[in-house]
Amino acid sequence: MTVARRTRRKDILKELGLTPLWRTRTEMHGRASAEKAEVAVEPVPDLHVDAKEDRRAQILRMGWDELKASVEGCIACPLFQSRTRTVFGIGDKNADWLYVGEGPGAQEDATGEPFVGQAGKLLDNMLAAIDLKRGQNVYIANIVKCRPPDNRAPTSHEAHQCEPYLARQIELMKPRLIIALGKVAAENLLHTDANLGSLRGRLHQHSGIPVIVTYHPAYLLRTLPAKAKAWEDLCFARRTMETLGTSE
């Protein structure tokens, strides 16, 4: 390519707002007076804001296997720096029931499975109370796929970066009912900062899917009187599902 053509292409790309887009690498061959030759052209990542939309669009086209692999390699937020394992989700990929929690804790980070330990046992008991079982017509996931340090709540940035993954899981699964476990799950699924008490006992919507809000199992372990209220929420969920019809 002549110097004039390279200059013209650079001017055009600049007018379109697409520079810097390419970097040319050259090598010297033979004597110092030898002619320089272009030997490779390497793309340089486009740092425009549109890249964020491209990432989301790509995720929303993925199948289950590709989606899981993408989660495992994700470095979109700082949580990847301290994780042991990502926690993708677990259960029936054709489930009517989707339970969404906050994020992985220490045991989840170690095992790669959501809701293990005491909170997981309580969740299993909550499922059994309305004739459900982990892995059978139930899928369990979290707002974020990596453990926040010290079990803190995920930041809005962390939740935003993980949102496309959960959105795609929901799109692939097409659950009939979503159960939001705790305030963080409710805030992110419903895009609200309302307190959990005001959200309970009502039917909400996420992407056209009914959502019911209840307490996180970890909260119930610390606040025993709330278990009675959680039971009310579970009964409400069961009645709601019966009105929707199920594939059970």
Side-chain angles (χ1 to χ4, degrees), residues 97 99 120-136 138 140 231 234-235 238 248:
W97 296 79
Y99 282 72
K121 290 178 182 178
L122 179 55
L123 177 58
D124 289 342
N125 289 337
M126 293 167 68
L127 294 173
I130 53 173
D131 301 319
L132 295 175
K133 185 176 182 180
R134 183 185 294 240
Q136 296 181 9
V138 173
I140 304 170
W231 171 242
L234 293 174
C235 291
R238 186 82 251 184
E248 292 178 292

Side-chain angles (χ1 to χ4, degrees), residues 59-82:
I59 291 171
L60 293 180
R61 292 193 295 269
M62 293 179 180
W64 282 107
D65 292 342
E66 189 179 4
L67 191 66
K68 186 173 183 181
S70 182
V71 167
E72 290 173 349
C74 182
I75 57 172
C77 82
L79 292 182
F80 85 92
Q81 298 173 0
S82 58

Side-chain angles (χ1 to χ4, degrees), residues 215-233:
Y215 297 101
H216 194 286
Y219 175 81
L220 296 176
L221 290 173
R222 303 189 303 267
T223 315
L224 297 181
K227 285 186 175 182
K229 296 179 180 179
W231 171 242
E232 295 174 0
D233 298 335

Side-chain angles (χ1 to χ4, degrees), residues 201-218:
R202 296 190 289 125
L203 208 56
H204 307 274
Q205 294 283 324
H206 174 80
S207 300
I209 301 169
V211 177
I212 288 176
V213 176
T214 190
Y215 297 101
H216 194 286

Side-chain angles (χ1 to χ4, degrees), residues 107-181:
Q107 289 179 285
E108 288 81 3
D109 179 64
T111 62
E113 182 175 335
F115 285 93
V116 295
Q118 292 302 311
K121 290 178 182 178
L122 179 55
L123 177 58
D124 289 342
N125 289 337
M126 293 167 68
L127 294 173
I130 53 173
D131 301 319
L132 295 175
K133 185 176 182 180
R134 183 185 294 240
Q136 296 181 9
N137 205 24
V138 173
Y139 196 90
I140 304 170
N142 281 308
I143 293 298
V144 295
K145 309 298 188 186
C146 299
R147 179 196 179 198
D150 302 317
N151 289 347
R152 63 163 171 77
T155 66
S156 58
H157 172 69
E158 291 160 357
H160 178 71
Q161 293 301 313
C162 237
E163 182 274 335
Y165 291 126
L166 180 60
R168 184 55 175 160
Q169 286 177 304
I170 292 172
E171 191 174 78
L172 289 168
M173 190 184 316
K174 296 179 174 59
R176 293 175 182 266
L177 184 62
I178 299 174
I179 309 298
L181 298 168

Side-chain angles (χ1 to χ4, degrees), residues 26-123:
T26 61
E27 291 182 353
M28 292 294 296
H29 293 278
R31 295 172 301 177
S33 60
E35 185 180 6
K36 292 182 180 179
E38 282 187 358
V39 296
V41 178
E42 296 178 326
V44 175
D46 188 352
L47 300 180
H48 290 79
V49 174
D50 290 348
K52 294 182 180 179
E53 294 301 321
D54 290 343
R55 173 181 177 267
R56 190 176 196 279
Q58 290 170 7
I59 291 171
L60 293 180
R61 292 193 295 269
M62 293 179 180
W64 282 107
D65 292 342
E66 189 179 4
L67 191 66
K68 186 173 183 181
S70 182
V71 167
E72 290 173 349
C74 182
I75 57 172
C77 82
L79 292 182
F80 85 92
Q81 298 173 0
S82 58
R83 73 185 178 215
T84 302
R85 298 182 63 178
T86 55
V87 182
F88 182 71
I90 194 169
D92 182 351
K93 294 175 182 176
N94 298 305
D96 290 329
W97 296 79
L98 171 62
Y99 282 72
V100 179
E102 176 179 310
Q107 289 179 285
E108 288 81 3
D109 179 64
T111 62
E113 182 175 335
F115 285 93
V116 295
Q118 292 302 311
K121 290 178 182 178
L122 179 55
L123 177 58

